[in-house]
Structures are given as C-alpha cells and as structure tokens.
Amino acid sequence: MAETELVAKLTIRLRGYVLPDTDAQFEGYVEPGTYFVLEHRKGYPTKDTDYARLEVPTLGALDTWICTRWRSQSYAKVFLAPKPPPVQRQTYDDEPLAVSEETLIGLLKDFTAYRYDLDRAYYPWPLPGIQVPLAPPQRNNCCTFVEALTVKAFSDAHGAEFVWDARRHRQMMVASTEDYFSPVTAAIESGMAILPPSEGSPPHPWTLIQGWRRQWDSGHTFLVVDHHVETDKVLLLESNAYEGLNGVGFRNLGNLRDLGVDLLGDKPLGDWWNRSDVWTWRRICATYLFRKQAWLKVRDRKLSGL
C-alpha cells in the first residue's frame, strides 16, 4: 500500500494564526496552493469549526493555523494524498545528447566572482544562436545563471547537434505569460532534459526547477544537484541573494568564491545532507507552491553520486 501524507488545498487566500483561534495573533496570509498539514483539529474548539496547522516556510514562523471550516462553509480541503516514490536514477550512458558532470562542474569556476543582480545580468561567455551581454561587470540572476551553465555545457559537448536560439532564450527568461514554466519547457524541447515520471516526483540528480512562491509572483529558477532520500535534503545550486548567498553557490553552504574546494574532488562538500540549514525537498515543495521540473541528461556523476 502506498504511503500517504495529509495535505490541505486552498483555492482562496486565508488568514494564518498563531493558535487555532481566529481571535489569536495574525501571522500573515496563506496563499492559494497545496500545503502539508502538521496537525488537523476537527470540531475544535466547538463542533462548528475545524482548524489545520500548515507548513508554510514563507511565513516567519514556518507554520501557521488556518480555519478550514465554519459550520457548513468549507475554506480548504484536507485529505490524504499518496507520497511519490523515490526516483529510479538514470545513468544516460546510452543517451546521445548528454553531458558529463565534469563538464558542468568545470564551468563553475567562471562564476566564482559573480554577485546577484536581478536587473543587470551578464554572461561569462557567448552562447550559440543568440546575442548576450558579456561580463564585466560580473553580475547575474537565477535565470541567466542556469541558462549560461547548461547551454554552454551542452553546446560545447555536442556542437551543431545542439540548437539554441532567441526563442529558447526568451523561454529561459520567462518572457511570456503563456508559459510560466518556460525554462523547463526550453530544457526539454532543446533535448537537454526529460520530463519526470510525474509532477510530484522527487528530483533526480541535476534537475532544473522553475518555482513560484505565489501564482505568479516571486519566481525562481535553480538546479537540484542531488537529493538525499533518507534525510530528504537537497543540494541546491543557484544564483541568489538569500539563504547564505550573494551570487552563485550552494544554498546555505556558501558562494563558490568562498567555498575554496575542488568540486571534482572526493566529497568536496562533505556530508551536506547532515547539515540542519540545508533545505529538504519537502521544504522546497512547501515554499514554491507552483513548480515544474526537468531532469537534465547528466552522466558520470560524482558530486551527485549518492
């Protein structure tokens, strides 16, 4: 029998409280989306109301209470959902349009001096089929980092077999409201990546994520280098100005310029999955309520070799 977990689906914005009481201290608004339920009190404190304590990392307290029902009026649906099984890791040894992990890691040295800048973004190198602004200054954002790293790696490895153009570039920049997950679309349509078995699948090593904290606001493009199944921790590579970063690095582990490690060496980041400040996949899902992923075709994995 498949494992299940209790979740709540909100279709409207609800107020969050410190306690299961609408007279309690207001903590912030809980946006529409699906949340993990930490506690569910039915018929509490009277038969007229139900409350649920949700995991909401975007609020300062990380969790909050909402009223899910008052008398016959329901505000949120609470139900058991099946937990997705761990992914079957693919090697991509027989995949013609794949790159080695060493190729990706080798390119990271050119991002060590970069700082995060949402509005001013420059590339460390030209990309095929498009004109991009080149550094200096060494500034970029989440979208331009992921595009620069992945497109450079795949184009260097496959030459004319790998096609990139202005339309793909616009997709990476999420330049159209027709597709809010267009970086994922671009990675798959260009041949760099494949779709996961389902939208709820845990990430595969070297997964590209396009996530939104709200629909459609506070978007972020980033890479999951690996997922440690036993702890649920994820190794995130991104350009960011939060979570211990100002530029390109690994979330809460440090900027590339500060790590001072050989990422091609033996366990260069140590047992990162044992660190309390490293995020879990569950926290990613609870933070980026709207998200899609693409599994990049990366072979000969060592850094992501769990």
Side-chain angles (χ1 to χ4, degrees), residues 123 129-130 132 143 147 164-177 179-183 185-186:
Y123 292 70
I130 59 174
V132 294
C143 297
E147 181 188 30
W164 197 254
D165 56 26
R167 184 169 71 90
R168 296 275 182 251
H169 172 66
R170 290 193 296 271
Q171 288 175 311
M172 289 299 297
M173 299 301 107
V174 199
S176 171
T177 57
D179 182 1
Y180 285 101
F181 302 102
S182 53
T185 305

Side-chain angles (χ1 to χ4, degrees), residues 155-212:
S155 62
D156 281 359
H158 300 289
E161 294 180 57
F162 177 76
V163 178
W164 197 254
D165 56 26
R167 184 169 71 90
R168 296 275 182 251
H169 172 66
R170 290 193 296 271
Q171 288 175 311
M172 289 299 297
M173 299 301 107
V174 199
S176 171
T177 57
E178 293 181 2
D179 182 1
Y180 285 101
F181 302 102
S182 53
V184 169
T185 305
I188 293 168
E189 290 183 349
S190 66
M192 290 194 294
I194 63 172
L195 274 172
S198 72
E199 290 296 338
S201 294
H204 190 271
W206 290 98
T207 290
L208 188 159
I209 304 282
Q210 175 61 43
W212 299 89

Side-chain angles (χ1 to χ4, degrees), residues 114-123 133-145 173 239 246-247:
Y114 271 75
R115 261 61 173 183
Y116 181 86
D117 193 319
L118 176 62
D119 300 314
R120 297 190 306 155
Y122 300 86
Y123 292 70
L134 299 179
Q138 288 165 311
R139 300 284 189 270
N140 69 7
N141 55 42
C142 63
C143 297
T144 53
F145 164 64
M173 299 301 107
S239 179
N246 182 7

Side-chain angles (χ1 to χ4, degrees), residues 34-81:
T34 301
Y35 295 83
F36 297 109
V37 175
L38 302 174
E39 192 175 348
H40 189 205
R41 296 190 183 181
K42 300 179 70 175
Y44 179 90
T46 72
K47 64 180 182 179
D48 289 334
T49 53
D50 298 338
Y51 285 88
R53 184 165 63 92
L54 309 184
E55 188 173 331
V56 190
T58 50
L59 294 181
L62 303 183
D63 67 314
T64 197
W65 287 93
I66 63 167
C67 179
T68 62
R69 179 190 64 86
W70 180 71
R71 294 182 178 174
S72 62
Q73 188 168 0
S74 177
Y75 303 116
K77 180 182 179 181
V78 179
F79 60 98
L80 283 172

